[in-house]
């Protein structure tokens, strides 16, 4: 239980630092030899240094809103809205931990889309 509380706090700090643009703090969560995968673009980044460099080189004005963090032990999931230059993108981050650090992260990204009218009678709006 205490280990899970520490991991959750470290993930929360990661997202807080991401929002604040604090690259060193944002990437302190990663193991030196961490891997980051973006399946939708087919990209894999190896090492904490490379992960931080590619994020630091992103020219977009980025903002992070965490919707939910869930997990335990060595597997954690963050659901976020990442806004790039004013355009929101939904993101799911799956973090696999080894020895208290992220060894492998996979991030999925999806643009918002309008709900089809055919489902209007069945759905309710997700609270903001």
């Amino acid at each position: 239980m205490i280990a899970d509380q520490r991991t959750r706090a470290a993930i929360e700090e990661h997202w807080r630092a991401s929002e604040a643009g604090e690259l060193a703090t944002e990437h302190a969560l990663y193991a030196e030899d961490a891997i980051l995968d973006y399946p939708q673009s087919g990209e894999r980044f190896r090492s904490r240094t490379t992960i931080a460099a590619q994020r630091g080189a992103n020219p977009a004005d980025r903002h992070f809103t965490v919707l939910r963090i869930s997990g335990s032990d060595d597997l954690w999931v963050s659901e976020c809205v990442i806004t790039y230059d004013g355009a929101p993108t939904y993101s799911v981050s799956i973090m696999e931990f080894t020895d208290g650090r992220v060894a492998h992260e996979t991030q999925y990204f999806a643009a918002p889309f309008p709900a089809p009218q055919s489902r209007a009678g069945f759905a309710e709006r997700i609270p903001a």
Side-chain angles (χ1 to χ4, degrees):
M1 181 62 107
I2 297 213
D4 283 353
Q5 290 171 343
R6 278 193 298 253
T7 301
R8 177 181 293 280
I11 294 168
E12 289 170 349
E13 177 65 3
H14 162 77
W15 291 116
R16 186 208 59 76
S18 297
E19 172 61 22
E22 299 170 1
L23 280 177
T25 303
E26 176 182 358
H27 294 91
L29 184 64
Y30 294 88
E32 287 289 334
D33 60 348
I35 294 172
L36 170 62
D37 288 339
Y38 293 159
Q40 290 163 285
S41 62
E43 295 171 287
R44 172 169 281 174
F45 303 94
R46 291 185 184 272
S47 85
R48 177 183 355 178
T49 302
T50 301
I51 294 167
Q54 68 90 13
R55 286 180 176 155
N58 188 325
D61 178 35
R62 299 178 305 152
H63 295 281
F64 299 82
T65 302
V66 177
L67 303 175
R68 179 168 56 168
I69 297 171
S70 57
S72 64
D73 298 321
D74 293 332
L75 184 62
W76 289 79
V77 176
S78 298
E79 297 175 51
C80 305
V81 175
I82 305 174
T83 304
Y84 296 96
D85 293 331
T89 299
Y90 288 84
S91 176
V92 174
S93 166
I94 302 168
M95 293 179 170
E96 300 172 60
F97 285 76
T98 301
D99 298 326
R101 299 270 183 245
V102 174
H104 190 186
E105 179 181 17
T106 304
Q107 280 192 303
Y108 296 93
F109 301 93
F113 57 88
Q117 187 60 35
S118 62
R119 295 195 303 243
F122 305 103
E124 62 183 75
R125 297 298 307 161
I126 297 172

